[in-house]
Amino acid sequence: MVFVTASPPVPVAVFDTKPYDREFFLAAPTSAQLDWQFREFRLSSETVEAVGDVRAACVFVNDQIDRACLEKLRLADVRHLALRCAGFNNVDLPAARELGITVTRVPAYSPHAVAEHAVALLLTLNRHIHRAHSRVRDLNFSLKGLVGFDLHGKTVGIVGTGKIGRLAAEIFRGFGTTVLAYDPCPGAEWAEGNQVGYVSLEELVSRSDVISLHLPLTLETMHLFDHTQFERIKPGAYLVNTSRGKLIDTTAMIENLKSGRLGGVALDVYEEEEGVFFEDLSDTMLDDDELSRLLTFPNVLITAHQAFLTNEALAEIARVTATNICRLATGQSALEGTRLN
Ligand code: NAD
């Protein structure tokens, strides 16, 4: 008689978990091979002691995985850090490599989700849909202050033409806009096929009625939109950021909103979002004067980092993350294109 012994499930600590994360992780195709240990707090050098006896740690955009945190993870024998997002600016990759911790991410779960959210934000802000909705629910059917502009015929500047930027550009082209793009690694063939014109960042900023950011946060791109950039911006232009908050110098942005140089700003990400976005703080006082100020502008629209939040994206994030944890725990390589170090 042959006894087949099933391997025990691989223990994995999932940090900063929300109910929708649990739902989609538990439904992932390889979920039965994993012992999910969901933690609601974020991973950082201060919380890492609570990692427990696990093989992998799964983190999101606002966990802070610096060298000190990684050293403690290594001491706890964690060999795999699985990011359930695309951006990895919150992880010290050289330190992880040195310590022998493999870092994986989900490079593309649904670029459509983010591109569509960028366009939704712009349309909502420009046509005052959010304000109209609240008014109508209050039986206020006045149209005062709700004048918007046609997107048709306007110029939209896409900064960063990777997976998300290209889709956003294509959607904007569908509105009959002229689309300009800037990317240090331009996609000439794609641009030609979609009637998108690559220009310098300076030209894009000075010619665009709407600027949408789709580039990663790096040391070079931090505060790419600062005082100098805002001085170049076409007066009255709209700025949309669904990428990373620190791409914009918030203080400079507020000054340019106050002066009227910026016509409107739609944000899904914010420079100091950590500890604020994803949380219900409705019973507390907001301890961030710049965010409080931004929330008073009628021409600012903010969502709390929800551009990725679609069924399709969450299912894909869970599938790739769970598969990679199983594969690395059994000595196989990570799925193609997901390993960062
Ligand atoms: P991607 O890697 O496919 O594309 C990024 C593009 O930016 C690349 O073409 C790259 O060459 C370009 N780039 C790099 N430096 C640049 C610079 N200085 N100026 C202009 N372009 C530059 O990434 P993606 O999947 O398209 O994602 C874009 C960003 O969206 C991510 O970095 C992430 O920060 C953000 N994102 C946000 C959410 C959300 O929920 N809000 C979800 C996923 C991704």
Side-chain angles (χ1 to χ4, degrees), residues 40-318:
E40 284 177 13
F41 54 87
R42 290 189 298 281
L43 178 62
S44 70
S45 55
E46 273 121 55
T47 62
V48 63
E49 314 285 358
V51 69
D53 186 14
V54 294
R55 297 287 68 74
C58 176
V59 297
F60 195 47
V61 294
N62 287 324
D63 297 275
Q64 288 304 328
I65 306 101
D66 55 13
R67 177 176 285 275
C69 179
L70 286 159
E71 281 171 353
K72 288 182 187 161
L73 282 178
R74 185 67 182 82
L75 278 178
D77 210 22
V78 172
R79 300 302 187 95
H80 179 195
L81 184 70
L83 276 72
R84 56 181 191 277
C85 52
F88 48 90
N89 50 283
N90 51 339
V91 182
D92 185 338
L93 281 181
R97 192 177 308 119
E98 245 175 66
L99 292 161
I101 298 177
T102 303
V103 184
T104 59
R105 66 169 176 151
V106 188
Y109 30 92
S110 172
H112 296 276
V114 185
E116 288 172 16
H117 192 75
V119 180
L121 279 177
L122 177 69
L123 291 175
T124 306
L125 179 63
N126 163 35
R127 302 303 301 272
H128 309 283
I129 307 292
H130 53 313
R131 299 177 71 199
H133 176 67
S134 327
R135 275 191 200 183
V136 169
R137 284 173 67 96
D138 208 20
L139 304 187
N140 174 357
F141 301 102
S142 155
L143 301 184
K144 193 167 165 274
L146 300 185
V147 179
F149 59 80
D150 286 10
L151 260 184
H152 180 89
K154 296 294 184 299
T155 299
V156 176
I158 301 288
V159 186
T161 53
K163 293 174 286 297
I164 297 169
R166 287 183 189 204
L167 288 171
E170 290 166 27
I171 300 172
F172 280 122
R173 280 286 301 127
F175 281 92
T177 62
T178 298
V179 175
L180 303 177
Y182 169 71
D183 194 308
C185 305
E189 209 175 299
W190 165 79
E192 204 184 317
N194 290 280
Q195 296 164 297
V196 170
Y198 277 106
V199 292
S200 67
L201 182 60
E202 289 71 19
E203 185 176 345
L204 180 150
V205 167
S206 61
R207 283 181 53 196
S208 299
D209 300 295
V210 173
I211 299 170
S212 194
L213 307 185
H214 301 287
L215 69 160
L217 176 67
T218 61
L219 284 177
E220 290 73 43
T221 62
M222 166 114 174
H223 284 186
L224 186 68
F225 278 74
D226 58 4
H227 277 291
T228 316
Q229 208 68 264
F230 284 123
E231 272 168 26
R232 294 194 187 108
I233 223 160
K234 187 171 174 179
Y238 277 49
L239 181 61
V240 182
N241 187 8
T242 54
S243 283
R244 285 291 180 267
K246 286 190 194 320
L247 293 171
I248 299 176
D249 175 342
T250 308
T251 311
M253 180 174 68
I254 290 174
E255 277 172 31
N256 282 274
L257 276 163
K258 281 162 76 178
S259 73
R261 184 154 194 112
L262 272 169
V265 170
L267 305 175
D268 185 52
V269 287
Y270 168 64
E271 200 169 358
E272 301 299 334
E273 69 179 53
E274 195 196 328
V276 179
F277 282 14
F278 308 118
E279 308 302 331
D280 178 359
L281 303 180
S282 54
D283 284 339
T284 63
M285 273 193 297
L286 190 56
D287 189 21
D288 181 326
D289 291 350
E290 291 203 314
L291 181 56
S292 305
R293 185 73 180 94
L294 281 172
L295 291 170
T296 67
F297 289 102
N299 53 346
V300 171
L301 179 65
I302 301 177
T303 51
H305 209 138
Q306 73 173 71
F308 72 100
L309 204 68
T310 64
N311 289 323
E312 293 78 1
L314 289 169
E316 182 62 3
I317 288 170

Side-chain angles (χ1 to χ4, degrees), residues 24-25 28-30 313-325 335:
F24 283 88
F25 276 133
T30 51
L314 289 169
E316 182 62 3
I317 288 170
R319 183 191 71 80
V320 172
T321 307
T323 306
N324 269 342
I325 296 170
L335 293 170

